[in-house]
Amino acid sequence: ANRNIKLVNVNVVRLRNNSGVALFVNMPHYVVDGYGYAVFVRRWAEVCTWMHGDTYKNELPLREFVFDRAVVRDAMPTDMLPLDNACSRMYEKTSTMGHLLAWMSPETRGDVLVTGTKLMPANGHIFHVSRDTINKLRSRVEQSGLARRVSDNDVLAAMISQCVAQGVHAKSRTRRMFSSLVRSLTRPLLERNNFLSLIIVDARPRLEKLMQMAPAQYVGGCITGVPVINSTHSLIAAASSDKQFSSIASSVRSVVDTVSDKYMSGIDNALNRNPACFAHSLALSITTPEKVIITNQSRFGLYECDFGFGAPKWITPMATFLTNFASVLPV
């Protein structure tokens, strides 16, 4: 590696007849997570609005940001919960691929992952789920008695898992052979006929000491993947059964509810005992064909990013970021 790590890539494309611009902003995960990315873009927009309007006559509001990950370590409680079987498999089991990824520099690791995604090209799709549909599904789940409460995210995660599981089940013979080959070369995360929904969770609101840093905002990496495992059969059956769908949504709620400060402390302990375990979990999630990775960007406030010319018309991540990757977008 050349020891130069890019913090941000920005590309501006001016549209025909000066009718607008398309702004592309990329920040790698070794710099910030999605929350930190949104904080950066919102602050940039705030400064631009201040410069272009009459507000420059007033003093620019000061913001304090923290990147030092030591503040996350200090916010971890001394008590910790033992990792459940799925989490233990992700963070504590080693693999040859994980060791190789950990040995690489961030730039080289990124190049390898990009090359891997090109070998398994993905098609990007955008779906709109109406508020009425979400409310009806939440009502069905809550009426089932399987969960006292469910969030929009729980329902959407269940829907996404159901759809992707159906697609994986119906995949071509060639891809089934590839999946078998992957299983033979790696230590599979799942038992056969199971499906992994990896829910990306922000640890900030779960670490009380970190939230007490206000007004300073920690914008470094502070997310983790929480595995939710269901049988592929139950996910497929959820398409035609309210009871099965309610069970899937409830399982998401149940697992996410376990992510407490002590749970995060257990993961932090695993990372400290073996600094390469982040790469082992990455390798396992990549080499698990029967999976979907789900993240939620709807709470980042990106449509509030006014650079001085009004709110953006459309915000979206890369169309084909990763196979079996789903992102909940703001509307």
Side-chain angles (χ1 to χ4, degrees):
N2 58 12
R3 298 182 181 277
N4 293 321
I5 297 179
K6 289 185 178 180
L7 299 182
V8 62
N9 288 301
V10 176
N11 188 19
V12 181
V13 178
R14 189 174 296 277
L15 305 183
R16 181 179 295 179
N17 299 326
N18 204 29
S19 59
V21 297
L23 177 65
F24 299 86
V25 183
N26 173 268
M27 300 180 74
H29 256 303
Y30 53 66
V31 179
V32 294
D33 56 19
Y35 175 89
Y37 170 92
V39 169
F40 168 79
V41 176
R42 291 201 307 269
R43 176 58 171 174
W44 181 15
E46 182 182 37
V47 173
C48 287
T49 300
W50 178 81
M51 292 174 62
H52 288 125
D54 292 335
T55 55
Y56 72 90
K57 298 176 183 178
N58 301 320
E59 188 172 338
L60 177 67
L62 296 179
R63 312 286 182 199
E64 185 178 351
F65 307 110
V66 179
F67 284 88
D68 187 356
R69 295 189 182 183
V71 301
V72 178
R73 182 189 62 229
D74 294 341
M76 293 288 178
T78 54
D79 295 337
M80 65 186 72
L81 291 176
L83 301 184
D84 57 42
N85 289 336
C87 248
S88 176
R89 183 69 180 169
M90 283 196 66
Y91 290 101
E92 296 184 328
K93 297 295 183 181
T94 62
S95 66
T96 301
M97 181 180 291
H99 282 299
L100 182 61
L101 289 172
W103 173 79
M104 296 176 182
S105 69
E107 285 186 323
T108 302
R109 185 163 54 245
D111 291 339
V112 169
L113 294 176
V114 169
T115 301
T117 58
K118 290 180 179 178
L119 294 175
M120 295 185 64
N123 294 319
H125 302 278
I126 296 176
F127 302 92
H128 177 262
V129 183
S130 69
R131 165 49 56 188
D132 185 57
T133 297
I134 294 176
N135 287 343
K136 287 180 179 178
L137 289 172
R138 284 185 63 177
S139 177
R140 291 178 189 175
V141 176
E142 290 168 352
Q143 289 175 8
S144 71
L146 295 175
R148 288 184 299 174
R149 66 178 183 90
V150 288
S151 67
D152 291 350
N153 200 57
D154 300 331
V155 170
L156 290 169
M159 290 178 63
I160 293 167
S161 300
Q162 168 196 317
C163 292
V164 176
Q166 287 178 313
V168 170
H169 183 71
K171 63 189 174 184
S172 66
R173 181 172 181 271
T174 301
R175 294 197 65 182
R176 287 198 298 271
M177 292 175 61
F178 174 78
S179 297
S180 298
L181 177 62
V182 168
R183 283 183 175 277
S184 66
L185 295 176
T186 62
R187 298 181 179 183
L189 175 62
L190 302 174
E191 298 294 332
R192 192 172 296 276
N193 298 322
N194 278 350
F195 186 90
L196 167 68
S197 301
L198 191 63
I199 313 295
I200 305 303
V201 174
D202 186 0
R204 290 175 182 81
R206 295 164 170 84
L207 297 174
E208 184 177 351
K209 291 182 180 179
L210 196 61
M211 299 304 292
Q212 291 174 349
M213 286 177 51
Q217 290 179 282
Y218 174 71
V219 292
C222 200
I223 59 173
T224 191
V226 179
V228 180
I229 298 176
N230 290 287
S231 74
T232 304
H233 174 74
S234 66
L235 285 166
I236 295 173
S240 57
S241 168
D242 283 351
K243 184 177 180 180
Q244 286 287 2
F245 182 85
S246 297
S247 176
I248 302 302
S250 299
S251 69
V252 174
R253 178 75 268 159
S254 176
V255 171
V256 172
D257 277 345
T258 65
V259 185
S260 62
D261 55 351
K262 294 180 180 180
Y263 180 99
M264 294 304 307
S265 186
I267 293 179
D268 183 63
N269 180 60
L271 287 166
N272 287 327
R273 285 190 286 110
N274 180 10
C277 75
F278 81 94
H280 297 305
S281 64
L282 177 63
L284 279 170
S285 62
I286 290 174
T287 56
T288 301
E290 301 86 358
K291 60 100 176 16
V292 62
I293 302 172
I294 304 173
T295 184
N296 191 329
Q297 301 180 18
S298 65
R299 302 169 184 169
F300 290 163
L302 290 175
Y303 277 104
E304 302 167 9
C305 295
D306 181 356
F307 285 84
F309 307 98
K313 299 295 184 182
W314 173 245
I315 297 173
T316 180
M318 295 170 58
T320 54
F321 171 64
L322 185 67
T323 302
N324 290 15
F325 180 88
S327 182
V328 179
L329 303 177
V331 293

